[in-house]
Amino acid sequence: SYTTGVKGSAAVFDGNTGVRLPNGIISGNKYTVSLWLKPTELTAFTTTFFGARTGDAWVSLLPMGHGWVNGNTMLWSGTAWYDAGLGMNIPVNQWSHLAFSVNNGAVNVYVNGVKKFSGVNFPNIFTNANGIFSLGVNWWDIPYKGAMDDLRIYETNLSDAQIQSLSF
């Protein structure tokens, strides 16, 4: 179903299902993912954007992470157990813009246009066009409950200014 979003209508996720995206939408080591989230609850490990090449090579954007990042919002990868904790949680029942940008192992993660994490050695997951992608679900954890709007995936790493312009 749909609800009022930031930019028109937003998809509603009921905590039971998700959306499967086309395979191969990311197939390199330079990309950006941007979306608006309005969670109705925060649950550890629940993904909003998930992409995987195998069960051991994946990327997941979590509104609430695990204990090693104090349960904060995070970008997580299973290849090398990369934990990009943001030092805060996005609020429940309020729209937040999240984005992450990857450039040959350099990664930046943003909330509402503000860089909250910057790191290096982020795993190169999408080495071919066989990646599997979804919204709100992954292979293991409780599905996302809330709304999502304006998903954008770019085949390049956007600049700070470009990401900031997406958060308005």
Side-chain angles (χ1 to χ4, degrees):
S1 65
Y2 298 92
T3 189
T4 302
V6 176
K7 309 219 177 194
S9 295
V12 174
F13 292 77
D14 63 6
N16 294 304
T17 60
V19 173
R20 181 79 152 70
L21 300 172
N23 288 356
I25 55 176
I26 301 171
S27 60
N29 58 4
K30 287 186 180 184
Y31 57 93
T32 301
V33 175
S34 164
L35 71 164
W36 287 90
L37 298 174
K38 185 179 181 182
T40 56
E41 64 184 31
L42 298 180
T43 308
F45 304 106
T46 293
T47 192
T48 55
F49 176 87
F50 179 74
R53 184 172 31 85
T54 69
D56 294 321
W58 48 265
V59 172
S60 190
L61 183 61
L62 311 178
M64 180 180 184
H66 53 62
W68 290 303
V69 296
N70 298 316
N72 290 316
T73 300
M74 71 182 294
L75 178 65
W76 194 23
S77 178
T79 297
W81 295 110
Y82 199 98
D83 297 342
L86 305 188
M88 50 82 69
N89 283 104
I90 61 170
V92 172
N93 297 318
Q94 181 178 324
W95 285 108
S96 298
H97 181 263
L98 273 75
F100 63 96
S101 185
V102 176
N103 181 11
N104 294 316
V107 62
N108 294 310
V109 187
Y110 305 80
V111 177
N112 297 324
V114 176
K115 190 184 302 181
K116 295 290 188 175
F117 180 90
S118 186
V120 296
N121 299 319
F122 192 74
N124 183 12
I125 302 296
F126 308 112
T127 57
N128 57 42
N130 296 326
I132 295 169
F133 298 89
S134 63
L135 298 175
V137 292
N138 62 22
W139 295 324
W140 312 281
D141 301 303
I142 296 169
Y144 174 73
K145 191 171 185 179
M148 285 189 211
D149 196 13
D150 200 35
L151 170 69
R152 295 174 183 229
I153 300 170
Y154 298 89
E155 295 181 38
T156 189
N157 59 302
L158 297 183
S159 69
D160 294 347
Q162 288 170 313
I163 289 176
Q164 187 176 37
S165 72
L166 294 173
S167 68
F168 294 111

